[in-house]
């Protein structure tokens, strides 16, 4: 007789856990959106008003006029897209070598890849800065594309390794019998079959480059080369914090990520779950 009660309790706990995850994930974004539609006077009013009494779209106009937000958006898109593309190409080659070739000390290689992703970014800042300075790459897109690619490679490689290992070797052998080279079999057979993993790795690399602040602030100090995270930090003054305008700029920064996730949601979720099962 107690079994239904136990089932109900387990279901209630799962629902509560799911609600906590949803609220934790969506509430900050919803609050930023609501803040971007309020006046500063309403924002500091007590008691707090959750919904804006009057929609103020001028905050978005001000976000684009107070700072060159479109320029920052374009810089972030270029850096994120190029670094993601390069990361996927290099990670696919590395993952294929680990998954298919008879490498000596393969497990050691995987361990080194995991270990390389554990260094805090702040410890790498000075070496990266000095390298870019000696190469005369400061205040260029390359100054950010190269380190972002390197930082994304470990996770992209690990994701792709688990997918490549699940693809039967017979498919590649058949392609090579038909005249494909090994590289041709990789790009024409393995990568298309591992599409969920490729999309997952791509999203992770893109978000990493899109959100990064420390390197963008240090390597590209030129006003024309600033990315969104750095540009948004400039809206506040020494004694002023225009939170509605800052929130409007944050909404603009969130939109590309939201659109990307919405378009490829099924592939990303499938890639994460399949990758977890296969890994």
């Amino acid at each position: 007789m107690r079994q239904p009660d136990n089932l109900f309790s387990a279901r209630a706990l799962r629902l509560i856990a799911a609600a906590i995850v949803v609220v934790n994930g969506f509430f900050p974004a919803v609050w930023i959106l609501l803040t971007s539609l309020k006046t500063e006077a309403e924002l500091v009013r007590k008691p707090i008003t959750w919904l804006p009494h009057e929609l103020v779209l001028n905050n978005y106009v001000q976000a684009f006029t107070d700072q060159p937000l479109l320029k920052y958006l374009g810089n972030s898109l270029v850096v994120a897209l190029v670094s993601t593309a390069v990361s996927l190409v290099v990670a696919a080659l590395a993952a294929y070598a680990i998954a298919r070739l008879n490498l000596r000390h393969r497990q050691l290689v995987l361990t080194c890849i995991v270990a390389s992703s554990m260094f805090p970014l702040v410890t790498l800042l000075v070496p990266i800065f000095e390298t870019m300075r000696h190469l005369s790459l400061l205040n260029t897109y390359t100054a950010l594309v190269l380190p972002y690619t390197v930082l994304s490679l470990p996770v992209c490689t690990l994701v792709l390794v688990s997918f490549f290992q699940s693809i039967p070797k017979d498919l590649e052998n058949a392609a090579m019998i038909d005249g494909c080279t090994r590289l041709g079999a990789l790009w024409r057979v393995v990568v298309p079959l591992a599409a969920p993993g490729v999309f997952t790795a791509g999203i992770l690399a893109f978000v990493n480059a899109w959100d990064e602040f420390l390197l963008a602030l240090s390597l590209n100090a030129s006003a024309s080369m600033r990315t969104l995270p750095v540009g948004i930090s400039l809206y506040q003054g020494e004694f002023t914090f225009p939170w509605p305008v800052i929130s409007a700029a944050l909404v603009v920064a969130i939109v590309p990520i939201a659109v990307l996730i919405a378009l490829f949601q099924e592939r990303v979720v499938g890639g994460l779950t399949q990758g977890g099962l296969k890994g």
Side-chain angles (χ1 to χ4, degrees), residues 49-163:
T49 57
W50 295 98
L51 297 176
H53 291 165
E54 181 181 354
L55 298 181
V56 182
L57 298 179
N58 188 58
N59 292 327
Y60 287 88
V61 176
Q62 207 171 335
F64 282 94
T65 55
D66 286 0
Q67 296 287 340
L69 191 60
L70 276 178
K71 180 64 177 176
Y72 301 153
L73 184 64
N75 290 340
S76 288
L77 279 174
V78 171
V79 170
L81 288 174
V82 174
S83 63
T84 298
V86 177
S87 296
L88 289 179
V89 171
V90 177
L93 295 172
Y96 184 80
I98 295 171
R100 286 291 190 261
L101 305 183
N102 295 321
L103 295 178
R104 296 179 59 185
H105 310 298
R106 174 179 172 277
Q107 195 59 44
L108 178 61
V109 172
L110 287 173
T111 302
C112 291
I113 290 175
V114 174
S116 66
S117 64
M118 295 182 179
F119 290 96
L121 183 56
V122 68
T123 64
L124 305 175
L125 178 59
V126 173
I128 292 175
F129 182 87
E130 286 299 315
T131 300
M132 295 303 163
R133 185 172 66 85
H134 284 297
L135 294 175
S136 300
L137 292 176
L138 294 177
N139 294 314
T140 65
Y141 290 133
T142 308
L144 295 181
V145 169
L146 289 179
Y148 287 173
T149 299
V150 173
L151 293 173
S152 297
L153 276 177
V155 65
C156 291
T157 302
L158 291 175
V159 169
L160 292 179
V161 164
S162 65
F163 277 86

Side-chain angles (χ1 to χ4, degrees), residues 93-271:
L93 295 172
Y96 184 80
I98 295 171
R100 286 291 190 261
L101 305 183
N102 295 321
L103 295 178
R104 296 179 59 185
H105 310 298
R106 174 179 172 277
Q107 195 59 44
L108 178 61
V109 172
L110 287 173
T111 302
C112 291
I113 290 175
V114 174
S116 66
S117 64
M118 295 182 179
F119 290 96
L121 183 56
V122 68
T123 64
L124 305 175
L125 178 59
V126 173
I128 292 175
F129 182 87
E130 286 299 315
T131 300
M132 295 303 163
R133 185 172 66 85
H134 284 297
L135 294 175
S136 300
L137 292 176
L138 294 177
N139 294 314
T140 65
Y141 290 133
T142 308
L144 295 181
V145 169
L146 289 179
Y148 287 173
T149 299
V150 173
L151 293 173
S152 297
L153 276 177
V155 65
C156 291
T157 302
L158 291 175
V159 169
L160 292 179
V161 164
S162 65
F163 277 86
F164 289 176
Q165 288 176 333
S166 69
I167 297 173
K169 292 184 179 180
D170 293 341
L171 297 176
E172 298 163 61
N173 294 334
M176 287 188 282
I177 290 173
D178 289 339
C180 268
T181 62
R182 185 173 286 276
L183 279 178
L186 167 63
W187 300 119
R188 296 180 183 181
V189 178
V190 177
V191 169
L193 290 175
V198 173
F199 278 102
T200 301
I203 293 292
L204 294 174
F206 185 90
V207 172
N208 177 63
W210 186 264
D211 292 340
E212 202 282 325
F213 177 81
L214 184 60
L215 289 179
L217 176 65
S218 304
L219 302 179
N220 282 5
S222 171
S224 62
M225 298 302 299
R226 289 171 182 149
T227 57
L228 265 177
V230 177
I232 291 174
S233 69
L234 300 176
Y235 282 92
Q236 70 182 51
E238 185 177 359
F239 302 106
T240 60
F241 293 88
W243 291 118
V245 178
I246 294 175
S247 298
L250 288 173
V251 171
V252 174
I254 292 171
V255 166
I257 298 295
V259 171
L260 202 62
I261 296 297
L263 290 176
F264 302 110
Q265 177 184 4
E266 293 184 4
R267 289 183 178 271
V268 172
V269 173

